[in-house]
Amino acid sequence: MRFLLFILFFIGFCAKEILGQERYIDSLKAVYSKNENIWSDSAKVDFLNRVFFHYVFSQSDSAYLYSQKVFNLAKKIEYQKGLALYYNNLGILHRVEGSFEDGLESMILSLSINERIKDSIGIANNYVNMGLIYQAQKKYDIALEYYQKCLTLKTKRKDTVGMAYCMRDMGGLYIQQKNYPKAKEIFEKVIQLKSRPPITFGAIKDLAIIAFNEKNYQKSKEYLENCISGMLLHDKFNVPQAYIHLAKIAQIERKPKIAIDYFDNALKYAIQYKNNQQEKDTYFELFNFFKIERDFERATFYLEAYTRLQDKIFNVETTTQLHRIQNNYALKKQETRANLLEKTQETQKERNRWIAFLVMLVIMAVVIFTQILWQKNKTKKHLIQLLQQKTHDLEEKNEEINQQKEEISSFNDSLSQRVAEKTQALSVALENITSQNKELERFSFIVSHNLSAPVKRFVGLLSIVEKEKITSDFNKNVMQRLEENAQELDNLMLDLDKILSIKDEAQLAQKENVLVKNVINQTISLLNKEIEQSRITFLSHINENHFVYAIRYYLENILFNILENAIKFRDISRHSVVHISLHETENDTKIIIQDNGVGIDLENEDIYKVFGVYQRMNNKTEGKGLGLYLVKTQMETMNGKMEIISQKGQGSTFRLVFPKK
């Protein structure tokens, strides 16, 4: 008897809660009726769509009715966003009913409209709903692809609520796949977003279900107890599922009274919010519970309730589908009539537009023809005046041109005379410079030749002086200074003779095709001792058949001086490497020598110090500062040139440019 009274009380309580929910829906309808004449049609569409979502998971026939209202009003005002909402809603209804192909078709129609009007929010919603349809069909890879597309759009818009909804559905998919680690990762991210309470508490509930499935009942219980109070405030529709799992945990812990309380709460909220699926699940769990407890009377009661509800859902769904088929037929018929009428009206409008267009065309032709005649007459008069003016201007210009011709002719005569005078002066100057250069060369040769013999005799005399007989320290010091200065003077005469002999040698020697590889190998062989001591590496990138058109002796001397400098001016703080390469163009051949030595600060140093005679850049190394001067002189004697690129601390690059002819 007490059990019967409890059931009657429970049904009465649920009826009261259901009436409360209905009153909320009625309040929405009242708001719509009150503002129907004030709101714009597009605002009405958005509000009706909101009402649709209150019905979609509880009363599919009411949801369908409001979706049709959305369609009719959106179609009437040609509100594209409203039509996209309608097809999206229709797709959701088909998914809830299990008509997945119809659901996808509706979603694709909605997506095409949203893409056309560039509504990124609508596109993202289409993606997530298509993901749910593919997930229901267990096509998980395709579903994840659509969820990812939705998440990308929501992230780009920084829509945390949309991101949370999308990630929640992804987590549900991973639960279906029993990929619990991935599902936990997703739901923890949803909680971190802190978007809306229903989503956050729903994610905590899903973590509890994962823990339950992993048989971590204590963790599952903690999650459920943490989220159930929040769900009672923000997400009562899904509260039954939380209570069912708490009841199962209590049953496992052998606490039957607590389990019954949880089952009662689950049933209360499932009935209150018309969550038929969870109401049916609760009946079935109660049946199993009392069967295990061997209370067959209650077990039978809940099994009958489960069976009645299942039959009721089937009958309601069948009736709803029949109504929907009828409504779809009527709607299609209405659409066909509307389309036919629209096409007839459009045809008439098109005909009227063509008639108006032809009339306007005739009027425009008459106006244009009149305008052309008037413009032609006006243009003719203007052209006559313009022609007369141009004729007068041309006469004046001709007279001015003739005058300028006379001035130019006079100027040309004067210019020719001045050019001839300048040319004569330059010729005389060139002859003077050439004569002076020859005199200077003869003088240098005479000085070198005439001084060479006395200097050598002086050095010879100093060498035969009996130094041991000089006892005075002062005289010994004088004798040492005399020897040093004599040797320095002898070296100077040798250098001068070497410089003067370059042009004489060039006149006697013949240019030939010299194989560069052979000369390099010969030079490296001559410097072998210095290379071993300095541990420098020479890398030749020149083939056996590469050659330059040059005087062989000069080329040997040039390469010897440059490679010797690379050894002298190496950077001892790092391993020294010298690269030797060759580059050919149509007119010349370049030998390029690149080292990583100490380098030269060319920005702050005079270039003369690099190539000048007796100029040295570094006093820490041996040498007279003559090598690069001889190299430059020999290159110029062969009509070639030498270029240098250098940076202090980085190294130097020498380019030897040899003409091919």
Side-chain angles (χ1 to χ4, degrees):
M1 185 66 183
R2 281 185 297 175
F3 174 67
L4 183 61
L5 287 172
F6 169 76
I7 294 298
L8 290 172
F9 172 76
F10 183 74
I11 292 171
F13 177 80
C14 292
K16 179 185 175 186
E17 293 296 327
I18 291 167
L19 288 172
Q21 177 72 5
E22 291 296 332
R23 280 196 293 273
Y24 174 71
I25 298 294
D26 290 340
S27 68
L28 287 178
K29 293 177 182 177
V31 171
Y32 181 79
S33 300
K34 181 179 179 181
N35 296 285
E36 189 173 5
N37 297 325
I38 302 171
W39 286 346
S40 65
D41 288 334
S42 59
K44 293 176 189 175
V45 169
D46 294 337
F47 190 84
L48 290 170
N49 184 66
R50 181 179 164 191
V51 177
F52 161 83
F53 273 102
H54 281 284
Y55 281 122
V56 65
F57 295 110
S58 57
Q59 298 181 36
S60 58
D61 52 344
S62 298
Y64 182 79
L65 175 65
Y66 277 96
S67 73
Q68 291 301 317
K69 288 183 178 181
V70 168
F71 173 79
N72 293 334
L73 189 54
K75 185 73 174 176
K76 175 185 172 185
I77 62 174
E78 297 183 353
Y79 182 35
Q80 294 299 306
K81 184 178 178 181
L83 291 173
L85 287 172
Y86 163 72
Y87 287 117
N88 184 71
N89 297 344
L90 197 59
I92 294 171
L93 280 169
H94 286 313
R95 174 174 64 82
V96 172
E97 293 167 359
S99 302
F100 301 127
E101 295 301 324
D102 292 337
L104 279 175
E105 185 178 345
S106 298
M107 285 297 170
I108 290 168
L109 285 171
S110 177
L111 180 61
S112 64
I113 295 171
N114 282 324
E115 286 178 339
R116 189 168 64 249
I117 63 176
K118 298 180 180 178
D119 183 359
S120 59
I121 296 175
I123 292 170
N125 291 336
N126 292 145
Y127 284 153
V128 75
N129 284 316
M130 291 170 82
L132 288 168
I133 292 171
Y134 281 116
Q135 181 180 340
Q137 294 177 296
K138 297 185 178 180
K139 297 179 180 179
Y140 299 124
D141 291 340
I142 303 174
L144 278 173
E145 185 180 335
Y146 278 105
Y147 287 148
Q148 194 58 53
K149 287 182 178 180
C150 171
L151 190 58
T152 301
L153 285 175
K154 295 292 187 183
T155 305
K156 189 175 181 181
R157 290 180 54 83
K158 297 182 180 178
D159 179 5
T160 54
V161 175
M163 289 165 63
Y165 274 122
C166 183
M167 292 168 73
R168 178 199 65 185
D169 294 331
M170 288 175 74
L173 184 147
Y174 285 124
I175 290 177
Q176 275 187 261
Q177 290 184 308
K178 296 185 179 180
N179 186 351
Y180 298 133
K182 192 67 178 177
K184 281 193 281 189
E185 179 186 338
I186 293 291
F187 288 127
E188 285 168 359
K189 286 181 180 179
V190 172
I191 294 168
Q192 289 172 5
L193 286 174
K194 298 180 181 179
S195 55
R196 285 183 180 172
I199 308 173
T200 303
F201 291 120
I204 298 172
K205 179 206 70 177
D206 290 323
L207 286 172
I209 293 170
I210 293 170
F212 183 87
N213 290 337
E214 292 179 329
K215 296 184 180 181
N216 188 348
Y217 302 120
Q218 185 59 36
K219 190 69 175 178
S220 178
K221 186 177 178 181
E222 289 174 8
Y223 277 131
L224 290 168
E225 288 174 347
N226 285 335
C227 75
I228 204 161
S229 57
M231 292 179 71
L232 286 170
L233 291 172
H234 302 288
D235 189 17
K236 293 179 182 177
F237 186 79
N238 287 308
V239 165
Q241 190 179 14
Y243 276 122
I244 288 171
H245 278 83
L246 280 171
K248 286 182 178 181
I249 294 169
Q251 188 178 356
I252 291 167
E253 293 174 343
R254 300 186 181 281
K255 298 176 181 178
K257 289 184 179 180
I258 296 174
I260 290 172
D261 289 339
Y262 285 139
F263 278 130
D264 289 343
N265 284 330
L267 197 59
K268 177 181 74 174
Y269 287 105
I271 294 171
Q272 176 183 347
Y273 291 99
K274 296 185 179 182
N275 191 334
N276 294 334
Q277 183 61 46
Q278 292 191 16
E279 181 184 354
K280 187 174 70 168
D281 292 345
T282 308
Y283 284 140
F284 189 74
E285 294 295 337
L286 281 165
F287 159 69
N288 285 326
F289 173 78
F290 284 115
K291 185 174 71 171
I292 293 169
E293 295 292 321
R294 306 188 67 79
D295 187 343
F296 297 111
E297 182 182 355
R298 290 189 181 184
T300 304
F301 172 79
Y302 284 115
L303 180 61
E304 289 174 353
Y306 169 79
T307 306
R308 282 196 305 273
L309 182 58
Q310 192 171 28
D311 292 341
K312 178 184 174 184
I313 291 170
F314 176 78
N315 292 333
V316 168
E317 288 178 351
T318 304
T319 305
T320 302
Q321 286 181 353
L322 287 171
H323 282 307
R324 188 161 298 122
I325 291 168
Q326 291 173 350
N327 290 335
N328 275 336
Y329 175 75
L331 181 62
K332 290 288 183 184
K333 189 174 179 181
Q334 184 180 351
E335 281 186 32
T336 304
R337 286 179 181 174
N339 290 334
L340 185 61
L341 179 61
E342 187 178 346
K343 285 182 179 179
T344 304
Q345 291 174 347
E346 190 63 33
T347 304
Q348 185 62 39
K349 287 179 181 177
E350 187 69 22
R351 187 184 295 112
N352 292 339
R353 281 198 293 269
W354 274 106
I355 292 170
F357 175 72
L358 289 172
V359 170
M360 289 296 297
L361 201 62
V362 171
I363 293 171
M364 286 176 65
V366 171
V367 171
I368 291 170
F369 183 71
T370 306
Q371 179 70 18
I372 289 171
L373 288 176
W374 178 79
Q375 191 67 32
K376 274 189 174 182
N377 187 39
K378 182 179 178 182
T379 304
K380 187 177 179 181
K381 290 180 179 178
H382 178 70
L383 286 173
I384 291 170
Q385 292 176 356
L386 192 62
L387 185 61
Q388 291 173 348
Q389 181 65 36
K390 288 290 182 184
T391 304
H392 181 263
D393 291 344
L394 283 172
E395 290 175 353
E396 290 182 349
K397 288 289 182 184
N398 282 334
E399 186 177 347
E400 186 178 342
I401 288 169
N402 289 331
Q403 185 177 353
Q404 288 176 351
K405 279 183 178 180
E406 292 177 1
E407 292 175 357
I408 290 169
S409 178
S410 175
F411 178 76
N412 282 340
D413 293 340
S414 173
L415 183 62
S416 297
Q417 185 178 353
R418 279 185 285 173
V419 168
E421 291 173 356
K422 290 290 183 183
T423 303
Q424 180 66 29
L426 287 172
S427 178
V428 171
L430 183 59
E431 288 178 2
N432 290 336
I433 290 170
T434 304
S435 176
Q436 288 173 4
N437 282 339
K438 288 180 179 179
E439 287 297 325
L440 185 59
E441 287 177 5
R442 281 197 298 271
F443 175 75
S444 299
F445 179 77
I446 291 167
V447 168
S448 173
H449 185 268
N450 291 345
L451 286 178
S452 178
V455 167
K456 288 186 182 297
R457 286 196 297 272
F458 181 52
V459 171
L461 288 171
L462 286 174
S463 66
I464 63 174
V465 171
E466 294 178 353
K467 301 179 184 65
E468 63 276 5
K469 293 184 178 181
I470 301 173
T471 58
S472 169
D473 290 339
F474 175 78
N475 290 335
K476 285 180 181 180
N477 188 34
V478 169
M479 180 58 67
Q480 184 181 350
R481 292 292 181 88
L482 282 171
E483 287 178 340
E484 289 174 357
N485 286 319
Q487 188 60 46
E488 186 176 344
L489 183 59
D490 187 39
N491 290 338
L492 180 63
M493 296 308 299
L494 289 172
D495 291 343
L496 181 60
D497 186 57
K498 191 183 295 185
I499 293 168
L500 292 172
S501 66
I502 289 175
K503 289 191 177 179
D504 293 336
E505 290 171 352
Q507 290 174 358
L508 296 172
Q510 294 292 323
K511 283 188 181 180
E512 58 181 308
N513 290 329
V514 183
L515 290 172
V516 180
K517 184 82 172 179
N518 293 344
V519 178
I520 289 171
N521 291 339
Q522 177 185 332
T523 306
I524 291 174
S525 178
L526 291 172
L527 293 168
N528 187 53
K529 183 179 179 182
E530 290 84 349
I531 291 171
E532 288 180 355
Q533 290 175 349
S534 61
R535 295 182 181 179
I536 191 168
T537 301
F538 286 92
L539 299 176
S540 175
H541 309 284
I542 299 176
N543 295 333
E544 298 288 344
N545 57 349
H546 278 154
F547 61 85
V548 292
Y549 188 58
I551 298 171
R552 183 181 184 86
Y553 168 73
Y554 281 5
L555 180 61
E556 291 171 352
N557 186 65
I558 288 166
L559 290 175
F560 183 87
N561 275 292
I562 293 177
L563 297 186
E564 186 183 36
N565 278 355
I567 297 171
K568 285 181 181 178
F569 299 104
R570 67 187 182 279
D571 188 339
I572 60 173
S573 67
R574 56 175 175 245
H575 177 63
S576 299
V577 181
V578 179
H579 294 271
I580 308 169
S581 58
L582 184 143
H583 177 69
E584 281 192 276
T585 64
E586 184 178 352
N587 299 319
D588 55 46
T589 304
K590 295 184 182 70
I591 298 176
I592 302 167
I593 302 169
Q594 181 180 11
D595 64 51
N596 63 341
V598 294
I600 304 169
D601 186 4
L602 291 178
E603 291 184 1
N604 299 315
E605 292 287 355
D606 187 356
I607 195 68
Y608 175 73
K609 289 194 72 175
V610 179
F611 295 114
V613 64
Y614 296 123
Q615 298 295 319
R616 297 177 63 195
M617 303 298 297
N618 190 339
N619 293 322
K620 295 180 182 179
T621 58
E622 296 179 359
K624 296 182 289 185
L626 190 64
L628 287 182
Y629 173 78
L630 291 174
V631 168
K632 181 173 180 295
T633 304
Q634 287 173 334
M635 285 299 299
E636 290 174 350
T637 303
M638 292 188 291
N639 297 322
K641 61 179 178 179
M642 183 171 70
E643 301 169 349
I644 182 171
I645 299 172
S646 187
Q647 189 174 352
K648 192 169 184 179
Q650 300 296 320
S652 303
T653 300
F654 291 89
R655 290 195 184 117
L656 307 174
V657 184
F658 296 87
K660 287 191 174 181
K661 294 182 181 179

